[in-house]
Amino acid sequence: MTGARFDLATATEIRFGAGRAAQLPGIVATLGAARVLLVTGATATRAEPVRAALAATGVAVAAYPVGGEPTVEAIRQGIAAACEHGAEAVLGLGGGSALDAAKAIAALADHGTDPMEHLEVVGAGRPLTRPGLPCLAVPTTAGTGSEVTRNAVLSVGALKASLRSPTLLPRVALVDPDLLVGAPPATVAASGSDALSQLVEPYLSLRANPVTDALALAGIRRSARSLARAGRDGLDDDPPGREDLALASLLGGLCLANAGLGAVHGLAAVLGARYAAPHGAVCAALLGPVVEGNLAALRARDSAHPILARFADLAAALTGRPDATADEAGRWLADLRIGLGVPGLGGYGMGEADLPELVAQARLASSMQANPVQLTDDELADILRRAS
């Protein structure tokens, strides 16, 4: 890329590999933390071995479960729990919701301010500049890449908004593919689709750079060869698939944090808040139609646009065929969604009458700013129809 200029930000340290969760007590020891708040999903069962391992080394652990996507009130209560426990570090172990909650709690526990003072769009948007408690992020799903991003998504009524700051980047991101054992195939399909969208969108983003390009294509190839199988059969007996999808998720987090997203996530933020639909499933439904819609819009606006060449490269990475054409990318992604058994948006209750409001709300999403082309209201509505 001629004249390339870019910044890269990620967790202070990334540890990847099967079995590496066993290193957590040692990592906590290096932080000098004798008291830890352990943030988990709705049930802390899968975190029990980690809690026990930390307790065996003398670390006092208080568990804080987060049911569903974190709300502002859940973060307030988590901050109170951290302060009451005297936590010196926060360990998030679970899916994206648990990790986002852990990052937000760690960032604000010593800050003395309310989450609403710092939330984008719906809050005051004040910058977070002072470091919070050390945060360790350990994903047990392969989807969000939250372990290496500098934002935390919170639900505020019917809306979603982000805390966003370099201070939210975890001190350590530990990704152990073996923690995916036991994940139901439907969860693998939805979370894996989210990860794939977080590779495809940064690759087509206006903010793409040479480093995120390389990471995105590597992750897309891994996801393309393993997601369909894993979404059907699960990952319990598939160590190569676990590694592929865990690494795809990690790479997706690195890419979105440094190159942005696009219309898939701009629309998904609104749809996820309005309907009882898993975020990954919404991304799966949108990804093919958005890629097709962006391709058509770019061709209509500027047939020589430099991003157009990327659609053929994307198709080649997805299909494994160097001669794949640009039009094959969207079709491949739409077929993947069907093969994974993920329903269209109509299955969650979206109807034609909802489209104008959904489009208007999606335009406010920060993810839209990096989409490769500014889509019209009609183009966005057509994408929603084709995703239904």
Side-chain angles (χ1 to χ4, degrees):
M1 184 183 295
T2 303
R5 290 169 59 89
F6 58 88
D7 299 324
L8 291 171
T10 189
T12 304
E13 182 178 357
I14 299 172
R15 300 193 185 192
F16 183 95
R20 299 202 77 170
Q23 297 177 353
L24 281 169
I27 294 171
V28 171
T30 64
L31 296 176
R35 308 184 70 81
V36 170
L37 183 72
L38 175 59
V39 181
T40 70
T43 59
T45 306
R46 297 186 70 184
E48 178 55 28
V50 170
R51 189 208 64 76
L54 290 172
T57 63
V59 176
V61 180
Y64 181 68
V66 177
E69 295 183 348
T71 62
V72 169
E73 185 56 34
I75 300 306
R76 290 172 178 149
Q77 293 176 12
I79 293 168
C83 294
E84 181 179 350
H85 183 57
E88 297 165 321
V90 178
L91 168 57
L93 191 147
S97 294
L99 300 191
D100 277 4
K103 289 156 58 178
I105 292 166
L108 291 170
D110 280 345
H111 213 272
T113 54
D114 188 78
M116 289 300 297
E117 295 184 45
H118 306 284
L119 273 173
E120 297 176 341
V121 182
V122 298
R126 287 176 50 196
L128 277 163
T129 56
R130 184 155 49 88
L133 296 176
C135 180
L136 289 74
V138 184
T140 59
T141 61
T144 67
S146 181
E147 66 273 13
V148 288
T149 64
R150 50 186 157 189
N151 70 302
V153 180
L154 308 184
S155 294
V156 186
L159 299 174
K160 292 183 183 181
S162 284
L163 294 172
R164 196 180 309 273
S165 168
T167 65
L168 270 78
L169 286 165
R171 183 76 60 86
V172 178
L174 188 148
V175 182
D176 184 341
D178 285 350
L179 294 178
L180 300 178
V181 171
T187 299
V188 173
S191 61
S193 296
D194 186 17
L196 180 56
S197 69
Q198 292 173 174
L199 293 159
V200 171
E201 290 207 282
Y203 185 66
L204 301 176
S205 167
L206 292 174
R207 301 174 188 162
N209 67 65
V211 175
T212 58
D213 286 350
L215 298 178
L217 288 173
I220 289 166
R221 293 186 186 103
R222 286 179 176 269
S223 180
R225 74 189 183 196
S226 291
L227 180 54
R229 180 182 71 252
R232 180 186 65 244
D233 301 331
L235 288 166
D236 289 7
D237 300 317
D238 187 4
R242 291 199 295 271
E243 180 170 301
D244 272 351
L245 296 191
L247 190 52
S249 179
L250 172 65
L251 295 177
L254 291 167
C255 289
L256 77 88
N258 291 288
L261 292 165
V264 171
H265 278 80
L267 290 164
V270 175
L271 290 159
R274 180 158 180 164
Y275 307 106
H279 174 73
V282 173
C283 290
L286 287 166
L287 187 51
V290 166
V291 168
E292 292 176 332
N294 281 334
L295 178 59
L298 283 167
R299 283 173 169 167
R301 312 272 206 283
D302 180 2
S303 61
H305 198 291
I307 290 180
L308 280 170
R310 291 175 171 256
F311 287 82
D313 295 335
L314 170 61
L318 290 169
T319 65
R321 290 182 17 254
D323 63 343
T325 65
D327 293 289
E328 292 182 70
R331 291 199 300 267
W332 192 97
L333 293 165
D335 289 344
L336 174 67
R337 192 270 297 176
I338 294 169
L340 290 172
V342 176
L345 299 179
Y348 299 109
M350 187 192 76
E352 182 70 24
D354 301 327
L355 301 190
E357 183 178 353
L358 292 172
V359 167
Q361 290 179 347
R363 287 210 172 279
L364 301 176
S366 58
S367 295
M368 285 292 193
Q369 297 171 13
N371 199 62
V373 60
Q374 185 172 350
L375 298 167
T376 67
D377 287 358
D378 286 344
E379 287 167 337
L380 288 169
D382 186 58
I383 285 169
L384 289 171
R385 289 187 191 97
R386 288 186 287 117
S388 66

